Amino acid sequence: MKNILKTTLLNAPKAAHPDGKLKLVIFDCDGVLVESEHLVSQVIGHEARIKGWNITDKQAREIFSGVQLRDVQKEIQKHVSNPLPDDWNVKIHEKIVDAMQGDVQQIEGVEDILQTLQKLNLPYRIGSNSSMREMTMKFTKTNLQKWFSKDRIHSAHDVKRSKPFPDLYLYAAEQEGVKPEECFVIEDSDTGLKAAYDAGMVCILLRDLEKPAPNYPGLIRVNSLKEASNFITEVLKSQNNFKR
């Protein structure tokens, strides 16, 4: 490992250390497994402009990446004069599900990392603010449904509080029967990063290294899922070689 990574790992939770035990990887969905956020931001950006908030689709993506619709509704309401209808988020959800018929793609390297985890006999789950309907549509469109059984896919509807609260990731760990400090989370959004950090889990942030990110202690940054896969493999190797 590079020296900077070694320094980072000193501040990371136990799952990243040679004397720790990595037992579960939890994936976010959008931006980590599939690329569909451009479709979501188009819907939200369009609806925001209709209501009077003149933001671009790009701005909508930057602001609302990883954010649940009820919180999107609250934020849009702050910027418009007329009240949004109570069922706004329900109607927008339907539009987002319809939008998933569009150009949804696998993130590069997703099947390779899933195959690696299976070879390593390392369990994995999904924890996403997306609804089950959305994820079913995305996985069907990208032919990823074969990799995930329904009982290992968790949405914000499974918990009282969605990301950025840690509830969803803690719930996924509970379902696996492991401790938070035995988990890795792979995320791409600041919202999910905070959830993972507050859950006490190692977070691997999948984001261009040239782009800014919150300065959380122990945050692991990667450019690609291949880098994430290599890092996980190296951690498990170090743990297997550690003399307890």
Side-chain angles (χ1 to χ4, degrees):
M1 297 182 186
K2 296 179 180 179
N3 289 335
I4 188 170
L5 182 54
K6 289 183 179 179
T7 302
T8 298
L9 289 180
L10 291 176
N11 297 311
K14 199 69 170 179
H17 294 242
D19 60 341
K21 191 65 177 177
L22 173 56
K23 295 183 178 180
L24 177 67
V25 174
I26 310 173
F27 291 93
D28 177 44
C29 181
D30 294 296
V32 172
L33 298 174
V34 299
E35 175 49 69
S36 62
E37 289 181 331
H38 61 295
L39 299 175
V40 176
S41 62
Q42 286 171 11
V43 172
I44 293 176
H46 175 72
E47 294 299 323
R49 291 190 292 272
I50 287 177
K51 296 300 181 181
W53 185 11
N54 189 29
I55 61 172
T56 64
D57 293 346
K58 180 180 179 180
Q59 289 172 323
R61 179 166 184 166
E62 292 171 349
I63 296 170
F64 298 119
S65 177
V67 179
Q68 200 174 26
L69 282 176
R70 64 170 176 256
D71 296 320
V72 172
Q73 180 176 355
K74 291 176 183 178
E75 186 63 26
I76 291 178
Q77 187 63 76
K78 295 177 184 178
H79 295 83
V80 301
S81 54
N82 295 324
L84 299 178
D86 292 339
D87 63 347
W88 181 89
N89 61 336
V90 176
K91 291 181 178 179
I92 299 306
H93 178 253
E94 292 301 319
K95 292 184 178 182
I96 289 174
V97 172
D98 289 341
M100 293 302 127
Q101 298 288 349
D103 183 27
V104 181
Q105 302 289 334
Q106 292 184 14
I107 296 294
E108 184 178 356
V110 62
E111 294 206 48
D112 288 339
I113 190 173
L114 294 173
Q115 188 175 52
T116 296
L117 295 182
Q118 288 192 349
K119 289 181 178 179
L120 293 170
N121 198 29
L122 181 60
Y124 57 86
R125 291 178 178 266
I126 297 173
S128 171
N129 273 353
S130 296
S131 70
M132 291 297 294
R133 285 184 62 199
E134 288 177 65
M135 286 190 279
T136 297
M137 182 73 73
K138 294 166 189 174
F139 295 150
T140 301
K141 285 280 294 183
T142 57
N143 198 32
L144 286 174
Q145 72 274 22
K146 60 188 177 184
W147 293 97
F148 307 106
S149 58
K150 290 184 178 180
D151 64 331
R152 305 188 73 79
I153 302 174
H154 312 294
S155 82
H157 297 285
D158 292 324
V159 293
K160 290 183 178 180
R161 303 182 302 177
S162 59
K163 304 175 196 177
F165 294 99
D167 304 34
L168 185 56
Y169 285 138
L170 293 173
Y171 177 78
E174 180 183 3
Q175 294 302 299
E176 188 66 34
V178 301
K179 300 174 183 178
E181 60 268 25
E182 297 172 331
C183 300
F184 273 16
V185 170
I186 303 182
E187 265 287 356
D188 72 307
S189 71
D190 291 357
T191 301
L193 169 55
K194 185 177 189 308
Y197 182 77
D198 288 349
M201 300 177 178
V202 174
C203 187
I204 299 176
L205 183 65
L206 178 62
R207 183 182 296 177
D208 187 332
L209 297 182
E210 297 299 320
K211 295 183 178 180
N215 188 27
Y216 286 99
L219 174 64
I220 309 300
R221 295 197 60 179
V222 297
N223 272 315
S224 66
L225 285 176
K226 180 176 177 57
E227 288 183 18
S229 180
N230 290 341
F231 176 68
I232 291 170
T233 301
E234 187 173 350
V235 167
L236 283 177
K237 182 180 178 180
S238 71
Q239 292 177 353
N240 290 335
N241 291 336
F242 183 76
K243 295 182 179 180
R244 288 178 170 82

